[in-house]
Amino acid sequence: MKVLLTGSSSGIGRAALIKFLDCGHSVVGIDVLESPVAHRNYTHIRADIFSSELPDVDGVEILVNNAGVQDSGRDIDVNLKGTIRVTEKYAFHEGVKSVLFIASASATSGSEFPEYAASKGGLLAYMKNVALRIASFGATSNSLSPGGVITRSNDRVMSDPVLWKRIMNRTLIPKWATEEEIAEWIYFLTVVNKSMTARDVIVDNGEISKAEFVW
């Protein structure tokens, strides 16, 4: 299938790109950074999803909205408004199969930088709006909300023993997901899944669910 993946150059996006390519799909990536791979089934477009002119890409069957920033001063513009721009341009047509939004566990918990949490919470509402409108094409629209992920952008807390201990004490299964594990979830929700729509899937090792009963 033909996949359009934003934020394809690093982190979770790069892991998802490799997963789709390894499974034989054709991928068009949009990122402000240079191409992360050289592959005959990959086309790279350097663009900012909020401020750049979005190119025409025909026949998108799977749309993965992964591009995002954190505590940047542009979180609402890029994470929410930019994602809306991309989705409105590429998702609504005959032949589309699925749309996935990479949100965050903070969209539910609110436990993040204020504008980041707000931008991801907005994605959950927009995801449901898309599900209502894309159903006429027989397509699904869902969001995936990772908690902690072992990725370079989280080096600050992963490399600090004190902060890391605090995080693990707040996590039901005391670990974080890898980028490759999140890529597997992305693949399942967009390719394998045919029936679940308008749902947010939280993958956070039980951080939101951690509770202590005191008697």
Side-chain angles (χ1 to χ4, degrees):
M1 285 192 279
K2 187 171 185 177
V3 181
L4 193 149
L5 168 65
T6 67
S8 58
S9 289
S10 61
I12 291 171
R14 185 179 185 277
L17 167 63
I18 292 170
K19 174 66 179 180
F20 281 117
L21 291 175
D22 286 349
C23 291
H25 300 280
S26 173
V27 183
V28 177
I30 299 178
D31 202 298
V32 295
L33 302 176
E34 294 182 355
S35 175
V37 298
H39 193 286
R40 60 186 177 85
N41 287 333
Y42 180 60
T43 301
H44 189 75
I45 298 168
R46 290 194 70 176
D48 183 305
I49 62 170
F50 175 71
S51 60
S52 300
E53 181 177 351
L54 296 175
D56 292 332
V57 179
D58 295 328
V60 174
E61 295 170 277
I62 295 172
L63 172 60
V64 179
N65 285 297
N66 171 71
V69 293
Q70 185 182 60
D71 197 28
S72 67
R74 303 179 66 226
D75 291 19
I76 299 292
D77 285 343
V78 176
N79 300 352
L80 184 54
K81 293 181 180 179
T83 296
I84 291 172
R85 287 184 75 219
V86 168
T87 306
E88 296 298 326
K89 183 172 180 66
Y90 299 116
F92 298 95
H93 59 85
E94 292 288 346
V96 67
K97 306 297 183 186
S98 61
V99 178
L100 183 66
F101 299 88
I102 307 304
S104 167
S106 66
T108 296
S109 70
S111 181
E112 256 283 12
F113 303 105
E115 287 194 8
Y116 181 80
S119 70
K120 296 300 187 175
L123 283 185
L124 267 57
Y126 179 65
M127 170 272 289
K128 295 175 183 179
N129 175 273
V130 172
L132 292 170
R133 293 187 290 140
I134 209 167
S136 61
F137 300 113
T140 63
S141 169
N142 295 291
S143 56
L144 175 63
S145 289
V149 179
I150 299 172
T151 188
R152 184 176 299 177
S153 62
N154 288 322
D155 278 346
R156 178 182 177 276
V157 292
M158 292 192 303
S159 61
D160 186 315
V162 175
L163 295 178
W164 185 248
K165 183 178 180 180
R166 287 176 59 189
I167 291 169
M168 290 300 99
N169 286 339
R170 288 290 309 143
T171 307
L172 198 59
I173 302 174
K175 67 179 184 67
W176 274 4
T178 64
E179 296 169 347
E180 291 74 21
E181 181 184 357
I182 299 302
E184 294 288 342
W185 278 100
I186 290 171
Y187 192 84
F188 174 80
L189 290 170
T190 56
V191 177
V192 179
N193 171 54
K194 300 293 194 300
S195 300
M196 184 181 73
T197 194
R199 292 292 179 265
D200 180 50
V201 177
I202 299 176
V203 180
D204 71 341
N205 282 291
E207 184 176 351
I208 287 178
S209 301
K210 184 70 180 285
E212 181 180 1
F213 178 64
V214 179
W215 185 256

